[in-house]
Amino acid sequence: MPWTNRPSPSFSAPGTKDRLICGFSYLSMGMIGLIAYLFQQGKGQSRFFMFHFYQSILTGLFIMLIGWGVKALMEVLVGLFSAVPGAMTGLSIFSQGADFLQYALYLVLLYGAIMAFLGKQAEIPLVAKIVHQQLR
């Protein structure tokens, strides 16, 4: 199962500061982690921090891209089907479903934050695979 809670063998026990920064990095879609990374000029960062930092940024970007894509698609569909009787009902249901999907993805960020606060590795599917490739 890709959502494992087991720590990677390369992780040392993270300190409280790293856990807090990583957790808040998820909640800010990577901005807190970016600030911490820039203040330390990228030196002396643990693998725990780098993993959660990269994963929070990629997950945040993924959520934003999905949101923008759905909004753009809705603008096009509303323009195309505005003259069709009854089409707006279907479009509003589609819009609500897309909003639900985006809110569910925010729960993924919350999951990552909780796991980071606990000092564990949160393996978010697809995103974690990209992060592991970057950390090699």
Side-chain angles (χ1 to χ4, degrees), residues 80-132:
L80 288 174
F81 296 111
S82 61
V84 177
M88 288 306 180
T89 304
L91 287 176
S92 68
I93 291 171
F94 175 75
S95 176
Q96 290 173 353
D99 287 342
F100 178 75
L101 173 67
Q102 194 169 12
Y103 292 136
L105 290 174
Y106 284 122
L107 291 176
V108 172
L109 284 174
L110 183 62
Y111 168 76
I114 290 170
M115 297 309 284
F117 286 138
L118 293 174
K120 297 181 180 178
Q121 181 178 357
E123 295 266 343
I124 298 172
L126 300 174
V127 178
K129 185 177 181 180
I130 296 168
V131 171
H132 282 301

Side-chain angles (χ1 to χ4, degrees), residues 63-75:
I63 290 171
M64 287 190 316
L65 287 174
I66 286 176
W68 291 340
V70 167
K71 286 182 198 269
L73 180 64
M74 286 303 299
E75 291 291 325

